[in-house]
């Protein structure tokens, strides 16, 4: 029997991934079914309305909003010297990532950020004040870190070009 044959190789060629992948997918489905059953044992109609409302809000409001915003960011970052103006600019990712993280943080903590967390103080005996300021600081820090990474990566990418131009200028001056 050659090393390129056997039950694991046959399984991988038919399934497309390892048996461990299949086991993890089945476990995640089992966990999702368990969570769904536990979630729906309480207020079933409220949970269904919440899921349908969230799907409609995402598809009808949020998806068009962040698609238009992403296109605007791509147009804004498109340089006038860009020969291939129709392609996606990698530099727009330096806006996408911090905006996504800030959006997820807002989604998770919006009741406290917008001072709507009435039970938070009663449940935790902690003050709900300051969440808006903290979220704004975290968002500003995310965008600042992203800008620093973009500047450093651009500087490192252009460094060999600057060195080559400097060497060419020295060579020209030496021949004159």
């Amino acid at each position: 029997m050659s090393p390129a044959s056997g039950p694991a190789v046959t399984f991988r060629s038919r399934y497309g991934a390892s048996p461990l992948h299949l086991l993890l997918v089945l476990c995640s489905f089992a966990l999702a079914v368990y969570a769904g059953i536990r979630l729906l044992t309480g207020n079933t109609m409220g949970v269904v309305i919440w899921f349908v409302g969230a799907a409609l809000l995402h598809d009808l409001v949020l998806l068009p909003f962040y698609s238009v915003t992403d296109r605007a960011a791509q147009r804004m970052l498109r340089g006038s010297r860009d020969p291939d103006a129709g392609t996606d600019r990698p530099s727009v990712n330096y806006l996408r990532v911090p905006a996504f993280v800030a959006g997820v943080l807002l989604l998770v903590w919006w009741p406290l950020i917008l001072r709507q967390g009435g039970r938070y103080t009663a449940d935790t005996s902690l003050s709900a004040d300051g969440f808006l300021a903290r979220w704004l600081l975290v968002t500003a820090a995310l965008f600042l870190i992203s800008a620093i990474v973009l500047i450093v990566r651009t500087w490192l990418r252009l460094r060999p070009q600057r060195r080559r131009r400097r060497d060419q200028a020295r060579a020209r001056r030496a021949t004159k």
Side-chain angles (χ1 to χ4, degrees), residues 4 16 27-28 32 34 48-49 53 58-59 83 87 95 136 140 146 151 171:
C27 287
S28 68
Y34 171 75
V48 170
I49 289 171
H58 176 267
D59 292 348
T87 62
L95 290 176
L136 289 173
S146 183
I151 290 167

Side-chain angles (χ1 to χ4, degrees), residues 92-148:
V92 86
N93 291 333
Y94 293 94
L95 290 176
R96 285 178 184 157
V97 172
F100 173 76
V101 173
V104 169
L105 288 174
L106 178 63
L107 183 66
V108 170
W109 297 102
W110 69 268
L112 295 172
I113 291 171
L114 300 177
R115 296 187 180 146
Q116 307 270 327
R119 288 186 33 192
Y120 180 78
T121 304
D123 290 345
T124 64
S125 71
L126 299 172
S127 174
D129 295 337
F131 277 88
L132 176 62
R134 290 183 199 129
W135 177 74
L136 289 173
L137 284 172
V138 167
T139 301
L142 288 168
F143 278 99
L144 179 66
I145 291 168
S146 183
I148 290 169

Side-chain angles (χ1 to χ4, degrees), residues 147-165:
I148 290 169
V149 170
L150 174 63
I151 290 167
V152 168
R153 290 190 73 185
T154 302
W155 183 75
L156 290 175
R157 184 174 42 93
L158 294 178
R159 197 168 65 180
Q161 295 173 359
R162 287 192 306 267
R163 183 178 297 142
R164 190 171 39 249
R165 285 188 206 130

Side-chain angles (χ1 to χ4, degrees), residues 56-67:
L56 289 175
L57 174 71
H58 176 267
D59 292 348
L60 298 177
V61 177
L62 294 178
L63 181 66
F65 172 73
Y66 59 71
S67 296

